[in-house]
Amino acid sequence: MKKHILSSFLAIVLLAGSAVASAAEKTKVEIDAGFPGGNIIVVDAGESVVRLKQDLRDTKGRWFYWSFRVRGAQGKTLEFQFDDKIISYLGPAISKDGGKTWTWLYNKTGNLPYSAVSSAFKYTFGKDDTEVFFSLSPNYTEKDLNAFLEKHKSNPALKIGTLCKTTKGRNAELLRIAGQNPRRGFKVVLTARHHACETMASYALEGIVDTILSDTPDGRWLREHADFLIVPFMDKDGVEDGDQGKNRKPHDHNRDYAKEIHPTVRAFKKQVTEWIDGRPTVLFDMHCPSEKGKTLFFFTEAAELNKKISDNVNRYCSLLEAERKSPLYYKKSHNRIAKNSKNPALVKCNTWFMTLPETIAAMTLEIPYALAADIGATDGVAVTADRARLFGKDMAKALRIFLETQH
């Protein structure tokens, strides 16, 4: 009898021990980049400190994009340390719903003081934080574009197609919004993600497209008088793979308008030159600056290169400054003159567009990853997905006025 009781007791202890081991296995912290847009190298993972670095892959020199997922860290406080100052002013962007929505670690409402770009942050995981994403900025990949397009699937004005197959066999999306008078109207080209990691540009692009498709005076006028060609991901492979994209060897997508080694650039140039059909054309190429950038601006061309385009860009930017409703701070005086490469083999999208006789304006927008501020300001406004969309709506409204008053 005693032997039976002892055996039962040992069995209970072993079962309890097994349950504890099983629970420990379930709560083991996992850090990975195995999702669209993921990018991280785990150097060392201790009990409370995790050392990381960005995966540069085929990038020439330093760049700063990173994005990773943590699972099984419920109830823990972890410090994440990089060997480089690549955490932007508001800390990491954080998502707890699989990347559908994002907040900044140091987010506040309205204006806020900003600190220096840093190399480390701490995070305390709640009891329900089974999966948390951390990123340089809110992610935006194919699934986000599909969710956006789903909202407009019943709009007959929007045509969704494929620009081409990428190097890795993915479909590079091509959106068309046909004008009602294509033979008499304007042509407008919208591009984003020539550099894969520049995610905030995609949210601003959403705002532009939202307005064009809307049943508002701006939307109706733009659809009546302009024909739109839109490439959301010029570096589609890089977007999905979580590449830096910038300074890709031997050269990146935005330096490929002479050599055409990237299939999307080659297909884009061919489509655009056939599609313009002699109509006056505007280009917006959407980008983000460095992780330290906090001024929203356009790259423009020197007047001596093309006075007509330069004057038109300045007029558009004056309209945008006057019409801006988004909290994201912008002034025309922020704009910078683009420096053309001295290497004739490295031609940018904006530069190539200026060679087309139909072009009346060509602009490269740089929207900051985390903060938008006046030059020299000691505070700034947090850049969020919704605020970037609002700025895109401002851009669309200014475009309507610009085209409506074009002579």
Side-chain angles (χ1 to χ4, degrees), residues 80-386:
F80 299 95
Q81 298 179 352
F82 289 85
D83 59 4
D84 190 5
K85 290 185 177 181
I86 52 174
I87 302 167
S88 200
Y89 300 98
L90 302 181
I94 301 170
S95 177
K96 298 183 180 182
D97 57 5
K100 293 179 183 177
T101 60
W102 296 81
T103 58
W104 294 105
L105 179 60
Y106 309 133
N107 194 34
K108 298 179 182 178
T109 57
N111 290 352
L112 69 165
Y114 57 79
S115 58
V117 173
S118 61
S119 60
F121 69 91
K122 284 186 178 181
Y123 188 78
T124 299
F125 294 81
K127 61 182 178 61
D128 297 323
D129 289 347
T130 56
E131 181 181 72
V132 181
F133 290 79
F134 299 91
S135 186
L136 169 80
S137 61
N139 284 0
Y140 193 103
T141 60
E142 181 183 304
K143 67 179 178 60
D144 301 288
L145 176 64
N146 288 341
F148 171 72
L149 295 176
E150 180 69 16
K151 296 189 302 182
H152 296 288
K153 65 180 181 180
S154 61
N155 193 320
L158 177 64
K159 307 299 180 186
I160 304 171
T162 301
L163 175 66
C164 67
K165 288 287 186 181
T166 67
T167 302
K168 294 186 177 182
R170 294 183 174 100
N171 290 330
E173 296 85 354
L174 176 67
L175 312 180
R176 290 285 307 278
I177 304 173
Q180 297 173 23
N181 300 299
R183 293 191 178 279
R184 294 191 293 110
F186 296 92
K187 301 282 187 172
V188 180
V189 178
L190 305 169
T191 58
R193 310 297 284 278
H194 272 94
H195 300 137
C197 69
E198 296 174 0
T199 62
M200 299 314 296
S202 293
Y203 292 105
L205 180 63
E206 277 194 4
I208 299 174
V209 176
D210 248 336
T211 301
I212 298 166
L213 294 172
S214 68
D215 186 24
T216 63
D218 292 329
R220 291 192 294 271
W221 192 96
L222 287 169
R223 290 195 305 278
E224 183 177 352
H225 296 89
D227 191 4
F228 294 84
L229 185 151
I230 305 157
V231 183
F233 302 128
M234 285 299 300
D235 182 5
K236 177 65 179 291
D237 286 337
V239 167
E240 294 299 301
D241 292 343
D243 291 347
Q244 307 293 328
K246 177 78 171 183
N247 296 332
R248 185 189 295 282
K249 299 175 185 176
H251 60 256
D252 64 44
H253 288 65
N254 199 37
R255 306 296 189 278
D256 191 38
Y257 282 76
K259 292 287 189 180
E260 300 179 19
I261 65 172
H262 299 296
T264 51
V265 174
R266 190 160 56 248
F268 173 72
K269 288 180 67 176
K270 184 176 186 298
Q271 286 254 11
V272 166
T273 51
E274 294 173 355
W275 168 79
I276 285 177
D277 194 27
R279 302 308 306 155
T281 304
V282 173
L283 166 74
F284 291 111
D285 184 26
M286 315 291 279
H287 286 258
C288 300
S290 77
E291 82 281 25
K292 299 179 179 66
K294 53 184 180 287
T295 305
L296 194 156
F297 66 93
F298 288 85
F299 271 124
T300 61
E301 303 295 338
E304 57 266 23
L305 295 178
N306 190 311
K307 189 174 187 308
K308 177 191 74 172
I309 291 177
S310 179
D311 289 347
N312 279 335
V313 168
N314 283 326
R315 188 167 73 84
Y316 171 82
C317 290
S318 294
L319 292 169
L320 178 59
E321 182 177 341
E323 295 296 329
R324 178 181 65 87
K325 300 294 188 297
S326 164
L328 301 188
Y329 195 79
Y330 169 72
K331 293 174 67 175
K332 187 177 73 170
S333 59
H334 291 168
N335 291 351
R336 304 175 191 179
I337 300 296
K339 294 180 180 179
N340 292 314
S341 173
K342 295 179 181 178
N343 185 345
L346 301 179
V347 177
K348 298 178 184 179
C349 177
N350 195 55
T351 305
W352 172 73
F353 229 87
M354 288 182 59
T355 67
L356 303 178
E358 297 90 346
T359 299
I360 60 173
M363 289 165 272
T364 300
L365 169 67
E366 299 278 350
I367 184 168
Y369 284 102
L371 280 178
D374 195 1
I375 295 174
T378 56
D379 58 13
V381 175
V383 180
T384 65
D386 284 342

